[in-house]
Structure formats: structure tokens, C-alpha cells
Amino acid sequence: MTVWAVAFVAAWLAIGLPTDPAYAFVWIWLATIAWNSERPWRSHLRFARDWVPVVLLFVLYNLSRGFADNGATPHAMELIVADRFMFGWATGGEVPTVWLQQHLYHPQVHWWDVAASWVYFSHFVVALAAAAVLWLRDRHRWAAYMRRWGFLCAAGLVTYFVYPAAPPWWAAQNGLLTEVARISTRGWKAFGMHGAGNVLNAGQIASNPVAAMPSLHTAWALFVVLFFLTATRRRWWPLLLAYPLAMTFTLVYSGEHYVIDVLVGWAYVGMTFLVVGLAERGWAAWRARHPSAKAARPA
């Protein structure tokens, strides 16, 4: 693990943080090998076998998001109206993103900018790392986790095509809002790591600007917390639930999402657990009523 940690930090400083699913998977796989170095290689190769289809699906997911931008003008004004309707009474008629940046955004980097950059980066590794731990400890629960995660991402992707929506920074660039800075990675400057966020910045430049509704950043954060919540002692619940709230603050403050995007993302998480749970129970009931063909086939 020490060798792994040194190599990870060296790659972080030289290349950037692992925000690409395939690149992040490589580091997570290497971490499982380092943590369980006494296991036979057959076990490590089984990890790759189970995960390669998952990684390929997420790579295709990232690529397909770009096709949601079909050249049409994305939805923006209704999101602005929704945020102003919900919070305008407390923000002087501004959307929360503009209000937060007016009060917290300064040329110099503060501690909350550093915290926001770390929280933003966590989106790219927390869900994958949690899945890796599940695979090592309970492959059955890992499969249940992946079914829900895959459904959540698919539902978000369909929405991007049906309802392309732009984030606050896009609205500001196109004159629909007052100035909004995109500042989700500026916290690295406090460490003198100006290149640490290069991969994140490059990904933001190439990202699809109409994939704001729903916010899968906060949806993933809430999904991971809810999946493990019932198996966690209640005294830890406030700490776990603080994570999706921190992600919400980060995304709204940094100009990446409106609050309405976050609320819809949370609704998608609830829909995911409901639909996949019903499907699993229905499948289990069907199998109980219909024995497998192999078992029913006469000798």
C-alpha cells in the first residue's frame, strides 16, 4: 500500500487527479491488489473480469452525454425561475449561485474553496471506491449496488436527451444571469498545485454543457450514502448525510448546478431504489413460482 500511495501521488502531480472512469478503475484495481497482495492472481483477475463491463458502460455513458447537445438552445430560464421562486425571498431575488458567489467568491482562495474542490473531486472516486469495497466483501451486495447505480445513470442520460438543460455558468455567459464564475477546481491553488486540477479542467472544457438536469453529482453522493445508511450505526448518520449536502453546496456555489437540478437528482435516487427494488422482488417471486428449466427438465 505504501508503494501504491507513492505511485498515486506521483501520478497525481504529473498527470492530474483520476477523474476518467477507466483511469480511476486502474488505480482502484491496483489498490485492491496492494491491499490483498497475499491473494492469488486468479482473484485479482476475477476483479478485472467483473469490472471491465462496468467500466466500459461508464465510458460509453460519458461519450454518449456529448450527443445530448444536438445544437438546440438548452433549457435555462425555467431553471432560473424555479430557483428564484424557491429562494428569491432570502437572496434578494437572485438565484442561490449568484448570491453565494457575491458573498463568498473573492480573488484570493479561501478554505471553503479548497474544501469545495475536494468535494467536487470526490464525485469521481467515492462511488467507484465504495463499489470496490463491496466487491471485496460481498459480491451479492455489489451486484445490487451496480444495478441501482446503472439504472440511476441511465435515467439521467435519458433526461439529458429529452430535456437538455444548461448550468448557471452557461446562463451567465449567455446573458441570462449576472456574472457567474466556474470555480470548482480553484482550491488546488492553495496547495501550490496549479496542475493538479488539469485533468478536471480539461474534462470541464470538453464536457457536455446541457447535462445539468438532473445533477448526477449530488445524485451519486446521495445514492452511496443511502445504500449504506441502514447498515451503519445511527450515530454516524449525520456525518454520512453531510456528504450530499456538502456536494450540493459545492455545485451551487461553483456555478455547476441550480438547486432545482439537485432536488430532481435526489428524486431520481428515490425513484431508482423504488423501481429496482420492485423489479428485484418481482424477479425473485417469479423465480419462486417457476423453477429453472434445468431443474424442471426430466433426467
Side-chain angles (χ1 to χ4, degrees):
M1 286 304 296
T2 302
V3 172
W4 178 90
V6 171
F8 178 80
V9 172
W12 169 11
L13 297 177
I15 302 173
L17 294 165
T19 58
D20 177 79
Y23 184 40
F25 161 74
V26 170
W27 281 109
I28 290 173
W29 185 24
L30 292 175
T32 64
I33 294 173
W35 185 260
N36 297 286
S37 56
E38 75 284 354
R39 288 190 178 185
W41 273 102
R42 202 163 39 247
S43 172
H44 301 311
L45 294 176
R46 191 159 53 245
F47 182 93
R49 180 201 65 189
D50 287 348
W51 276 78
V52 164
V54 175
V55 173
L56 289 177
L57 283 174
F58 279 112
V59 170
L60 291 174
Y61 163 79
N62 282 344
L63 293 174
S64 61
R65 287 177 62 192
F67 292 104
D69 184 6
N70 57 10
T73 302
H75 296 271
M77 274 308 302
E78 54 264 53
L79 307 182
I80 295 172
V81 170
D83 267 31
R84 283 175 174 167
F85 175 77
M86 290 187 293
F87 301 100
W89 59 272
T91 61
E94 295 286 1
V95 299
T97 294
V98 172
W99 187 86
L100 285 172
Q101 291 201 3
Q102 287 175 346
H103 289 78
L104 297 176
Y105 176 50
H106 305 286
Q108 66 272 26
V109 177
H110 292 280
W111 67 265
W112 53 84
D113 297 305
V114 177
S117 291
W118 277 109
V119 171
Y120 184 78
F121 164 67
S122 72
H123 164 76
F124 301 96
V125 295
V126 166
L128 276 173
V133 172
L134 272 179
W135 188 93
L136 291 171
R137 294 190 172 187
D138 188 340
R139 194 173 179 277
H140 178 74
R141 288 199 72 202
W142 173 81
Y145 181 97
M146 283 302 179
R147 285 193 293 271
R148 287 158 176 77
W149 195 14
F151 182 91
L152 177 61
C153 293
L157 181 60
V158 169
T159 308
Y160 297 152
F161 280 93
V162 175
Y163 188 83
W169 62 262
W170 185 96
Q173 288 181 358
N174 288 271
L176 301 178
L177 286 175
T178 55
E179 184 176 355
V180 172
R182 196 178 189 185
I183 53 177
S184 51
T185 61
R186 75 190 299 254
W188 305 119
K189 295 179 181 178
F191 292 98
M193 298 178 179
H194 299 280
N198 284 346
V199 175
L200 271 172
N201 294 330
Q204 287 183 333
I205 294 171
S207 65
N208 177 14
V210 301
M213 170 68 76
S215 168
L216 284 187
H217 281 75
T218 46
W220 284 19
L222 183 63
F223 163 75
V224 173
V225 168
L226 291 183
F227 189 88
F228 292 99
L229 197 64
T230 56
T232 307
R233 293 183 179 179
R234 290 196 175 186
R235 65 184 179 186
W236 297 109
W237 284 16
L239 182 61
L240 289 176
L241 292 171
Y243 176 52
L245 295 177
M247 183 66 75
T248 296
F249 170 82
T250 293
L251 297 172
V252 175
Y253 167 58
S254 62
E256 299 289 344
H257 284 283
Y258 298 96
V259 177
I260 188 64
D261 302 336
V262 171
L263 297 179
V264 173
W266 289 355
Y268 273 45
V269 174
M271 177 185 68
T272 294
F273 279 95
L274 176 63
V275 172
V276 178
L278 288 174
E280 288 175 342
R281 289 191 290 272
W283 174 249
W286 185 90
R287 292 191 64 182
R289 292 193 305 268
H290 301 82
S292 66
K294 182 177 179 181
R297 187 181 303 137

